[in-house]
Amino acid sequence: MKLLKNQLVYALTFVLFYCSLITGVSAQSQQEINNLKAFTKAYGYVKYFHPSTEADQLDWGWFSVYGASQVRDCKGSDCLSETLNTLFEPIAPTVRFSADKPESKPLKLTATPPQPKDYRQVYWQHYGVGKDMINPSELYKSVRVNSQKVEEKSAGFGGINKRIPAEPYLNKRIRLKGMSKLAPSSEGTGHFWLRVDNSDQSPGFFENMNDNPISTADWQLYTITGHVNPKASTINFGGFLSGKGTLHLDMIELEVEENGSWTRIPISNSSFEDPIEDQNWISMGKGYQVMRVVDDLADGTQALEINYVGAPEAITQAPIFQGYPDASEIWTAELTEGLWIAMPLVLYEKDLQTYPIPTVKAYNPDDFTALPTNANGLDFRLGNIITTWNVFQHFYPYFKETGVAWESELEKSLKDTYTSNEKRHYRDLKELTATLKDGHIQVYGKEQGLFAPPINWEWAEGKLILTQVFDSTLGLTVGDVVEAIDGNFPQQYFDQVKAGISAATAGYLNYRANDETLMGAKDSRLTITVEGREHELVRSMDYHKNKTKLKASLPQYKLLDDGIVYLNLDLISTDTIKRILPELENSKAIIADLRGYPKGNHEFINLLLDKADSSKWMMVNQYIYPDQQDIVGHSDMGWEMVPEKPHLGNKKVIFITDGQAISYAESYMGFIEANKLALIIGQPTAGTNGNINMFALPGEMGISFTGMKVLKHDGSQLHGIGIIPDIYLEKTIKGITEGRDEFLEKAIELAKNE
C-alpha cells in the first residue's frame, strides 16, 4: 500500500513538474530558439572550417556563452542577421549573413588580397577532429594547412658545464660547491649538477638537485657530494636554469676528499672573472643566454647570469591528407528560414595573419565580466549545449547507424535548458548525448557521483536481484528481490537513469544502468524495499575502486578437471599466458573469459590463428567541409595478426562474452568471430569500438566519444550490433542466489562434450 501511495505522489509531482516545464518553455518564443539554432550552426561552421587567424586564436568556449547572450533577444531575421554580422566581424571579416542566399563573387573579391601570389592559401583539414580536443593518443588531428604558427623551440633548460679527467680522483669522494640565487620573477628553478661518466658506459654518480632546486632570491651556498668509482673516465659539472627566468651563479668550486679532509681541485675561472669561452666553460641550451654581470655579486668583480630568452620559430602546417577545398569555393547554408551564411573555406595568409585584417577590435573575455561563469546562468548552459552539439554534428561517425534526428535534439535541448540549473545541467548534457547511442560517451563533471551503497544488483527473470552485499549488518542477502527504489518501481527508477546513458546495445545499456542506478554523491541515501521492508542505504563506498578490488581478487587462470584450462582475459597478462603454454598445449579445451576488458593480451589470438589476418576494419574520416558533406576519404587500419606456435586452434576453444565487452574487447572478439576461432557463448557485446576522443567544456566538464568508425572484418556493421554469440545465455535468480557463474558452468559443460 505504501508503494502505491508513493507512486501517486510521484505521478502528481510529475504533472506539476510538467506544467511548470510547459510554462518555462512558453517563456521563450520559438523565435528565440530559432535565433539560438542559427547561432549554433554558424558557430560550428566558423570554428571548424573558416581558417582566419582570429578564429583560430579565439576562446571558443567563452564565445559560445557570449554569442548566445547576444542573439537570444533578436526580433526577426533582419535583427538576427545584423547581430550575427556584428558578432563574427572581429573573428571572421569575410563571413556574411543575409536574408537571401548570397552571391559568391563579391565575397571572393573581399577575401582576395591585391597580390595573392605573395600569400599562402590556408584551409582546414580534420582527421577525425583535433581542434579543442583532449587527445591522449594524438590520433585525431585538425590542421590549418599552410598557415604558420610560432612554436617555442627552446631546450627547456640552459646553462654552463665543464669536464675534467677522472683518473686522479678514482675511488674518492668529490664535492661540488657554488653560490647561486634566482631572480624573484622567475617561473623556473636553478640547479647545480655533478655527473661521473664511466669508461664502460655503465651509470656513474649523478645529481642535479631536482628534489631541492634553487628557488630563493638571496645568495646561498649549495653543495653536491658524490663518489668517483674505479671505472670513471670524466667528471662533469656546472649549473643551469630550468624553465623561464634568470639565474645567477658565482664561486663554483670542486673538491676531493683526501685523508679525511677536503682539498680544492683547481678550476680555471671559477668566479667568472674572465669570459667563460676562454676558460673551457661550455654554454648549453637553445633559447638561453649566458653572460657575465658586474652587479649583485657573491665574490670578485663578475658573476654569471643565465637568462631564458626563448627560441620562437615559425612552423608551416603541412597537410595531413590529400583532399582540399577549391580556393574559389564559398560555403553557403541556410541557418534558419530566411537567414543564410556564406564564407570562404580558403583564405590567404602572410606574416602570421590572414587577409583581410579585421577592422574591429579583437574579443577579450575580460571585457565581458557580466557573463555567467557557471551553469546557474542560462547563457553558460546554452554555450555548453552549442559547443557539444557542434562536435558531433561535424565529426560523429555513426549518425547513419543510430538514426538520431540531431537537429531536433538541438532544439529540444535548447528548450530544456531554460528550466534547468547548475545541478541539472550535467543531466541535460547526458540526455542530449544519450541519443547518439555511443557506449564511449561519458559526461564528466562535479555532479558525477562516484559513490555507492555496499551492494550490487542485476536484472534476472524480469526482477531486480541483489548480486552482492558487502555489509552483513544491513539485513540483506544475495538473491533478494528489490521491490522499490526510493519509492519508485525498480523499472521506473532504471528508466529515468537510462535516459541519460549513451549506449549502442541493450546489453551495454543494462550494464551501465546497473552501475549508475547505484551511484551518487558521497554519503547520499538510497532507500530500497525488500520483502515489504525499507532499507536506507548510505553511498559510502567508492564504486569503481571497490569494483577494481573485486576484479583483482578473481583468478587469472584455472586448471580445471578433464584437461580444461580457464583463462580470465580481464586479468591474465601475455607473459603469464606464455608461462602456462605447456598446460594450454596439453589441454583438451580452453575457456577464454572476455566479459570485460582484456589486459593487453590480444597476442593470444595468434596462437589460435591458422592464417594471417591483416584485414582493415578501423577508419578515421577526413573532413574539409561542414556537416560531414563530401567526406574526402578515410584511413584504413587494422591489427596485423599472424599465427604463432604452439598452435592452439585445433583444440576446443570457447569464448564467454557479454554486454560489458566494449572497444578493445570487441576488437579482440572481432578476430574470434571473423576467423571462427572459437565457439562464442553469452550475450552480445557493447557494439561500440574505436579510439575515444574527448573535449572539455567550461564549468570543469568534459565529454568523451567514439572518434572513428569500426566495422566487422567482413565490412558489415558493428556499431549497435556487437559480436553475436553462437549460444545466448541468461542468468537466473536461482543461480545468483546460489552464487554460481552460470555462463562459466555452460562453458565447462560444452568443453566436456565430445
Side-chain angles (χ1 to χ4, degrees), residues 61 64-65 375 379-389 425 429 695 697-699 701:
S64 67
V65 179
D379 293 318
F380 190 98
R381 299 193 301 273
L382 289 168
N384 278 350
I385 290 167
I386 289 164
T387 298
T388 300
W389 187 86
H425 183 54
L429 290 170
F695 58 96
L697 293 171
M701 305 184 76

Side-chain angles (χ1 to χ4, degrees), residues 56 130 268 310 602 685:
D56 186 44
S268 58
H602 60 271
T685 59

Side-chain angles (χ1 to χ4, degrees), residues 165-182:
E167 185 177 0
Y169 315 107
L170 298 180
N171 210 28
K172 295 179 181 180
R173 294 175 74 207
I174 56 172
R175 183 166 70 183
L176 178 70
K177 297 166 60 178
M179 299 291 291
S180 183
K181 60 177 289 188
L182 190 70

Side-chain angles (χ1 to χ4, degrees), residues 342-404:
M343 69 178 192
L345 300 178
V346 179
L347 290 177
Y348 292 85
E349 182 188 87
K350 182 174 70 172
D351 300 329
L352 306 178
Q353 174 64 53
T354 49
Y355 180 89
I357 300 173
T359 57
V360 182
K361 186 181 76 169
Y363 285 117
N364 181 356
D366 294 337
D367 296 338
F368 301 93
T369 55
L371 290 177
T373 57
N374 60 53
N376 275 327
L378 171 61
D379 293 318
F380 190 98
R381 299 193 301 273
L382 289 168
N384 278 350
I385 290 167
I386 289 164
T387 298
T388 300
W389 187 86
N390 272 292
V391 172
F392 294 101
Q393 168 67 11
H394 299 293
F395 306 108
Y396 183 55
Y398 289 114
F399 277 124
K400 179 180 177 182
E401 288 79 2
T402 58
V404 60

Side-chain angles (χ1 to χ4, degrees), residues 7 47 56 58 157 191 236 273 293 295 365 428 471 510 544 573 576 596 638 645 652:
Q7 293 307 304
K47 176 178 181 178
D56 186 44
L58 185 67
F157 67 94
H191 303 255
N236 308 268
E273 301 301 307
V293 295
D295 58 345
D428 290 342
D471 185 346
N510 291 336
H544 291 294
S573 66
T576 303
K645 293 182 179 180
K652 182 177 285 187

Side-chain angles (χ1 to χ4, degrees), residues 21-42:
L21 187 63
I22 293 174
T23 303
V25 170
S26 63
Q28 89 279 345
S29 66
Q30 187 61 44
Q31 176 68 56
E32 189 165 344
I33 296 300
N34 289 344
N35 294 347
L36 289 166
K37 287 170 60 179
F39 171 68
T40 298
K41 294 178 182 179

Side-chain angles (χ1 to χ4, degrees), residues 234-265:
T234 60
I235 299 171
N236 308 268
F237 57 94
F240 66 90
L241 170 69
S242 176
K244 298 179 180 180
T246 299
L247 179 71
H248 290 83
L249 302 175
D250 208 351
M251 298 176 62
I252 296 181
E253 297 179 358
L254 193 62
E255 299 175 330
V256 59
E257 186 180 39
E258 294 180 317
N259 301 319
S261 62
W262 291 97
T263 302
R264 187 172 178 181
I265 299 173

Side-chain angles (χ1 to χ4, degrees), residues 44-220:
Y45 293 154
V46 178
K47 176 178 181 178
Y48 293 114
F49 298 97
H50 184 68
S52 69
T53 302
E54 293 74 22
D56 186 44
Q57 296 173 349
L58 185 67
D59 181 340
W60 284 94
W62 165 83
F63 186 70
S64 67
V65 179
Y66 177 64
S69 74
Q70 297 300 294
V71 303
R72 286 197 290 114
D73 295 331
C74 287
K75 308 298 183 184
S77 57
D78 289 342
C79 170
L80 181 58
S81 175
E82 181 180 348
T83 300
L84 288 172
N85 277 313
T86 302
L87 189 60
F88 282 92
E89 174 68 17
I91 57 174
T94 52
V95 172
R96 295 289 181 270
F97 299 91
S98 58
D100 300 313
K101 185 175 182 179
E103 294 184 15
S104 297
K105 187 174 181 180
L107 202 55
K108 291 177 190 174
L109 293 174
T110 302
T112 304
Q115 300 292 331
K117 291 183 178 180
D118 296 337
Y119 291 74
R120 293 177 303 278
Q121 292 182 353
V122 299
Y123 55 92
W124 278 107
Q125 283 186 341
H126 300 282
Y127 181 71
V129 58
K131 182 173 174 59
D132 292 346
M133 296 288 122
I134 305 168
N135 285 322
S137 69
E138 297 185 353
L139 171 67
Y140 306 112
K141 294 179 174 65
S142 291
V143 171
R144 204 161 59 102
V145 178
N146 294 330
S147 69
Q148 286 193 330
K149 66 177 182 177
V150 176
E151 291 187 357
E152 181 53 58
K153 295 295 185 178
S154 68
F157 67 94
I160 57 164
N161 71 84
K162 188 186 281 282
R163 174 184 298 176
I164 65 172
E167 185 177 0
Y169 315 107
L170 298 180
N171 210 28
K172 295 179 181 180
R173 294 175 74 207
I174 56 172
R175 183 166 70 183
L176 178 70
K177 297 166 60 178
M179 299 291 291
S180 183
K181 60 177 289 188
L182 190 70
S185 60
S186 299
E187 298 177 15
T189 55
H191 303 255
F192 285 107
W193 63 278
L194 176 62
R195 189 185 75 233
V196 178
D197 290 341
N198 294 336
S199 57
D200 63 357
Q201 308 302 313
S202 62
F205 174 81
F206 177 69
E207 171 59 51
N208 65 358
M209 296 179 61
N210 261 352
D211 295 333
N212 57 331
I214 301 162
S215 58
T216 64
D218 299 318
W219 284 106
Q220 289 190 21

